[in-house]
Amino acid sequence: MASASLNECEDGVSNSQTSTEMQTLRISAESSRQRTDSLDSNGLPPTETTPLVTLERRQSEKHKVKKRRSLRQAVAKNLKVGLLFFAVLLSAVVFALEPERERMPHFLVARKGVPAQLDIAAGQPRGIITAKLQGPFIPTEINSTHYLTVVVRDGRARANSSVTTSKQQLVHLNMREAITSVDESEPHFVKLTFYLDKNLERKTDIHFHIESTENESVTFGLYYHGSPKVAEWEVIYAGLILVFVYVLIVFEFVHRTVAAMIGSLMALAVLSALNKRPTLEEVMEWIDYETLCLLFGMMTIVTIFSGTGLFDYAAIKAYKIAKGRAWPLITMLVLFSGIVSAFLDNVTTILLMTPVTIRLCQVLNLDPKNVLIAEVLFSNIGGTATAVGDPPNVIIVSHRDIKAHGINFANFTLHLSIGICFCMVAGYVALRIMYRSLKLENSFSPKIAELKREAEIWRRTANRVPSVSAEEKTVKALLLQKAAKIEHNMRQKLYHETSCESWKENLPNLEDKYRVTDKILLIKSTVVLVAVILLFFSYSFVSGVHVELGWIAVLGALWLIVLADVHQLEFLLEKIEWATLLFFAALFILMEALKEMELIDFIGDNTASLIKKVPEEHQLLVALVLIVWVSAIASSFIDNIPFTTAMIPIILNLGADPKLNLPLPPLVWALALGACLGGELLPKVRNETDTQIGRSGKQIDGYDDRNG
């Protein structure tokens, strides 16, 4: 028992403990053991019930429990790998066995009394026929006396009037447009789904029969595909895939990029099984390359900019202005992180500020965890203010359909930044209230805290030693004596030094260590960054500039690479977050595949039905509240990037619904605020918070160890 206690004590004591002191304790314990002549407290030889044997049994049981736990973890890991590999392999096989579906439209002409007909090719499933018409159409919700009647029927109808047909569907015509041509620049699509009965499904010769109410010819395009009957449940398949991907991301079974790639492959496999496999070119078109270019360009600029030492210099300047006072320093640090995060990547901002923040906390004897949490809070809030501050905003402002409604970088930033200013004020007030009862400053200096922690370890070890045998009593007394000696030294040091050194004494060393390392590069980076931000604001107003956000970011990155005279390009490319870019690409494919399976339309239709139940004068308010809170709550549990990607088509559907007549811009602002600010509830789902916790954990833990 004594030997085990000493070994445990050795593990807890800091490196300053000398081996001579430990050897003295061991010799004293051995001498005490020899004097007892191996007798227990009753003067009898030791038996199996002695404390030493009991301790050995406990250690053996702990070892067995640990071994069983390790075995269970290994089994769970292998089971996870096996299940995921089976899912990937099965999806790959299903995907490979189905041919690609060409989406070449057939152009037809119909007029009153002269219907258009198109034979449906044999050799494909016919349980469900999905047709997509392109032409001068208007939504089916708008009643019109001008329309096309579309049915699927038996080919024998050409010779016999008694035929089997599907349920007819109407396609309303927009007579304000030229109906004799298809406007391919702004196509109007109408999707029709025909559920064929068994009699019609078994026919070998079936075709589309399209009649028009107009005397003039109506030209339109039509392409179709057949699916098996199980395609009726495609929304359920899509929902299961989406939930599966979210589970992988939330519980971190695999990296989120791997989860998105697995989900994309599974979605493509389901589309293939439903005879909807897209071509490779179509899949590539699903990816929003402007978003990827915008992220890549800003990552490159920030990577080069981070090598200037500006963040360290700004933190030391804040320390100097605050004159070593806690709250003024915290206020300036959080405001700096919030403002910088509005234009630079949140993760990079936090990572660059973490080391110098921890060092300043050590100098001021502050708990770094509370200060870092405040920085992350304001970094997330500030990143919401602009279109490039947070990944969800990048996805929103780069979406082609949202840009088609006149939403650009300038008006997006203008509307959100006003609200974010109020959020920052409210956040700071909440911060002061939360930290009001929280002790920011440590009670002792690092040296005193180290001695206090060491004495506590010796006392805790002594309390674990039972006072049964003479040997144990001797060891316990020696341990308590050592703790008392350390506490005496601590009181002497506490008498001769203050709890915190003067801030002026530390300032020269800090200014020498944390400074601008490359002033020339700082000037070049600042000029390029300001130019890029100005172009972000002005590109939508200057008629002679024909570049979008993605091109501006890539061009800015290339300018800075040339100005910085980067020779070690491989080192620069290693700093780019390629996993994040691949994650975005996989998400775009996943969401478009789920859209092909009608999941997005299903969610949008049900949301619209819920809003329609509200009186018309309150529908916009209900829609905004619903989007903000659903986005905030969902983003607090799942990654806000895939959630935003899934929500964009839904709000587009709401804005396009003629019965709701909701303006799209307020819905966009609501989605951005909810998705970006919702991650404040649970930091694990926020990229910058998770990265800061992971990469700064060792520094924080080291500081905690020194301060008990």
Side-chain angles (χ1 to χ4, degrees):
M1 177 67 188
S3 301
S5 301
L6 289 173
N7 290 332
E8 184 177 359
C9 183
E10 285 182 3
D11 295 336
V13 178
S14 63
N15 295 331
S16 60
Q17 177 64 42
T18 61
S19 59
T20 304
E21 294 175 341
M22 298 305 303
Q23 186 66 22
T24 303
L25 287 175
R26 286 187 175 277
I27 294 174
S28 300
E30 184 66 23
S31 301
S32 176
R33 186 189 64 80
Q34 293 177 357
R35 286 195 300 270
T36 57
D37 196 23
S38 301
L39 298 180
D40 60 13
S41 59
N42 297 322
L44 298 175
T47 62
E48 293 184 355
T49 60
T50 59
L52 185 60
V53 176
T54 303
L55 179 62
E56 292 176 352
R57 285 182 176 179
R58 291 178 180 175
Q59 292 178 343
S60 178
E61 289 296 329
K62 289 181 180 179
H63 178 71
K64 292 180 180 179
V65 171
K66 185 177 180 181
K67 187 175 181 180
R68 287 195 296 267
R69 186 185 299 113
S70 301
L71 181 61
R72 287 195 299 268
Q73 292 176 350
V75 172
K77 180 181 179 181
N78 293 330
L79 181 63
K80 178 199 73 174
V81 173
L83 292 176
L84 290 178
F85 179 75
F86 175 77
V88 172
L89 182 61
L90 179 62
S91 301
V93 171
V94 174
F95 180 76
L97 293 180
E98 295 293 332
E100 293 181 344
R101 175 174 53 85
E102 296 290 342
R103 304 185 65 173
M104 297 297 296
H106 302 271
F107 292 99
L108 306 174
V109 179
R111 68 175 184 269
K112 190 174 183 178
V114 183
Q117 294 183 344
L118 177 65
D119 292 332
I120 298 177
Q124 61 176 320
R126 294 184 174 184
I128 300 175
I129 302 295
T130 302
K132 202 167 187 180
L133 281 71
Q134 173 187 351
F137 307 129
I138 56 179
T140 56
E141 294 84 357
I142 301 177
N143 295 323
S144 173
T145 58
H146 312 281
Y147 56 84
L148 300 178
T149 303
V150 185
V151 296
V152 176
R153 65 186 204 175
D154 186 359
R156 291 176 300 172
R158 299 169 183 174
N160 187 355
S161 59
S162 178
V163 295
T164 304
T165 65
S166 66
K167 181 180 179 181
Q168 70 177 12
Q169 300 193 39
L170 303 181
V171 180
H172 297 281
L173 296 173
N174 185 359
M175 298 307 297
R176 292 173 297 179
E177 297 185 2
I179 62 175
T180 58
S181 64
V182 177
D183 185 4
E184 296 186 359
S185 61
E186 295 183 359
H188 302 274
F189 292 101
V190 174
K191 188 174 182 180
L192 306 177
T193 303
F194 300 90
Y195 298 91
L196 307 186
D197 57 23
K198 293 183 179 180
N199 293 329
L200 188 58
E201 184 180 353
R202 287 195 295 263
K203 302 295 182 180
T204 58
D205 184 14
I206 60 176
H207 65 271
F208 288 101
H209 184 85
I210 306 170
E211 297 181 353
S212 174
T213 60
E214 300 303 311
N215 293 322
E216 300 181 54
S217 297
V218 179
T219 304
F220 57 93
L222 182 150
Y223 55 89
Y224 68 93
H225 68 273
S227 302
K229 284 290 187 181
V230 293
E232 296 182 53
W233 311 101
E234 60 183 355
V235 172
I236 297 179
Y237 308 148
L240 292 176
I241 293 174
L242 185 61
V243 171
F244 176 71
V245 172
Y246 279 160
V247 168
L248 292 181
I249 294 176
V250 171
F251 294 99
E252 298 183 348
F253 290 121
V254 293
H255 192 278
R256 62 176 186 167
T257 303
V258 178
M261 294 173 65
I262 294 175
S264 301
L265 179 58
M266 293 176 66
L268 292 175
V270 172
L271 287 177
S272 301
L274 299 179
N275 195 34
K276 295 182 179 181
R277 176 181 169 178
T279 62
L280 179 61
E281 292 78 9
E282 188 177 356
V283 173
M284 292 296 101
E285 290 176 357
W286 289 351
I287 301 175
D288 191 343
Y289 291 101
E290 182 173 356
T291 300
L292 298 183
C293 289
L294 178 57
L295 290 171
F296 172 77
M298 294 305 297
M299 286 178 183
T300 305
I301 293 174
V302 171
T303 299
I304 299 176
F305 191 80
S306 62
T308 61
L310 175 65
F311 293 86
D312 295 342
Y313 174 78
I316 296 303
K317 276 295 181 182
Y319 171 76
K320 185 176 182 180
I321 296 174
K323 297 181 179 180
R325 293 171 294 178
W327 268 112
L329 177 63
I330 294 175
T331 302
M332 284 184 282
L333 289 178
V334 297
L335 288 178
F336 178 77
S337 65
I339 295 173
V340 172
S341 296
F343 302 100
L344 301 181
D345 179 54
N346 294 20
V347 178
T348 303
T349 302
I350 291 299
L351 288 178
L352 293 176
M353 291 193 64
T354 296
V356 66
T357 299
I358 293 178
R359 177 55 186 151
L360 291 178
C361 290
Q362 292 175 348
V363 172
L364 294 178
N365 198 27
L366 300 175
D367 187 353
K369 292 181 181 179
N370 299 321
V371 181
L372 291 174
I373 290 174
E375 288 182 357
V376 172
L377 174 69
F378 276 79
S379 175
N380 295 342
I381 296 176
T384 312
T386 66
V388 295
D390 217 3
N393 291 354
V394 175
I395 298 174
I396 293 172
V397 81
S398 300
H399 197 279
R400 60 177 67 91
D401 293 331
I402 291 180
K403 290 191 297 183
H405 285 79
I407 299 176
N408 51 45
F409 183 93
N411 55 29
F412 184 93
T413 302
L414 176 63
H415 284 84
L416 260 68
S417 59
I418 297 175
I420 290 303
C421 291
F422 291 100
C423 290
M424 280 198 168
V425 174
Y428 185 77
V429 173
L431 194 69
R432 294 299 296 257
I433 294 175
M434 287 190 303
Y435 285 4
R436 179 182 55 184
S437 59
L438 198 63
K439 192 175 183 180
L440 292 178
E441 297 184 358
N442 291 308
S443 302
F444 305 100
S445 66
K447 295 180 181 179
I448 299 299
E450 175 71 18
L451 292 175
K452 182 181 178 182
R453 172 181 171 274
E454 187 177 341
E456 180 64 25
I457 292 176
W458 285 100
R459 285 194 175 277
R460 189 164 56 244
T461 305
N463 293 332
R464 292 175 182 171
V465 178
S467 301
V468 180
S469 64
E471 174 194 7
E472 293 167 344
K473 292 179 180 179
T474 303
V475 171
K476 186 171 185 177
L478 291 172
L479 293 173
L480 292 174
Q481 181 181 0
K482 179 61 179 177
K485 182 179 179 181
I486 295 175
E487 290 174 348
H488 177 71
N489 294 335
M490 180 183 67
R491 285 191 293 268
Q492 287 183 337
K493 288 183 176 294
L494 187 62
Y495 178 78
H496 290 290
E497 67 177 24
T498 60
S499 60
C500 183
E501 299 176 357
S502 173
W503 69 275
K504 292 184 179 180
E505 297 177 0
N506 293 281
L507 185 59
N509 294 331
L510 292 174
E511 288 181 331
D512 182 65
K513 183 177 181 180
Y514 301 103
R515 54 187 175 83
V516 175
T517 57
D518 193 333
K519 294 183 179 179
I520 302 299
L521 181 60
L522 176 60
I523 296 174
K524 295 177 180 179
S525 302
T526 303
V527 171
V528 171
L529 183 61
V530 171
V532 168
I533 294 174
L534 290 178
L535 286 174
F536 282 161
F537 278 102
S538 61
Y539 84 96
S540 56
F541 304 110
V542 181
S543 58
V545 179
H546 303 286
V547 289
E548 301 290 339
L549 293 177
W551 273 114
I552 294 174
V554 171
L555 292 175
L558 183 58
W559 296 340
L560 189 54
I561 289 175
V562 174
L563 288 176
D565 194 19
V566 176
H567 291 285
Q568 297 179 347
L569 187 61
E570 294 80 4
F571 177 77
L572 175 62
L573 294 178
E574 288 178 358
K575 299 294 184 180
I576 303 298
E577 298 178 25
W578 296 106
T580 300
L581 298 178
L582 188 58
F583 175 59
F584 274 82
L587 276 181
F588 291 138
I589 296 175
L590 173 63
M591 292 307 165
E592 287 295 331
L594 298 182
K595 185 178 180 181
E596 289 288 321
M597 287 186 275
E598 310 292 341
L599 177 63
I600 304 302
D601 292 337
F602 174 79
I603 298 175
D605 293 341
N606 283 272
T607 305
S609 300
L610 180 62
I611 298 175
K612 289 175 184 177
K613 296 179 181 179
V614 181
E616 185 176 355
E617 61 271 15
H618 302 307
Q619 286 181 352
L620 179 58
L621 176 61
V622 172
L624 295 177
V625 172
L626 187 64
I627 292 174
V628 167
W629 282 104
V630 169
S631 303
I633 295 174
S635 297
S636 65
F637 291 97
I638 61 178
D639 198 313
N640 55 8
I641 295 175
F643 176 80
T644 304
T645 308
M647 281 294 296
I648 289 177
I650 295 175
I651 65 172
L652 287 172
N653 290 345
L654 293 177
D657 194 325
K659 291 187 177 181
L660 288 176
N661 196 25
L662 299 176
L664 182 63
L667 304 181
V668 173
W669 318 144
L671 175 61
L673 289 173
C676 294
L677 299 180
E680 306 289 352
L681 299 178
L682 293 177
K684 197 61 178 176
V685 300
R686 291 293 300 195
N687 297 334
E688 55 273 13
T689 310
D690 191 17
T691 306
Q692 178 182 5
I693 292 173
R695 298 188 183 182
S696 306
K698 292 183 179 180
Q699 301 178 59
I700 297 176
D701 291 339
Y703 182 79
D704 289 341
D705 291 342
R706 290 189 299 271
N707 291 274

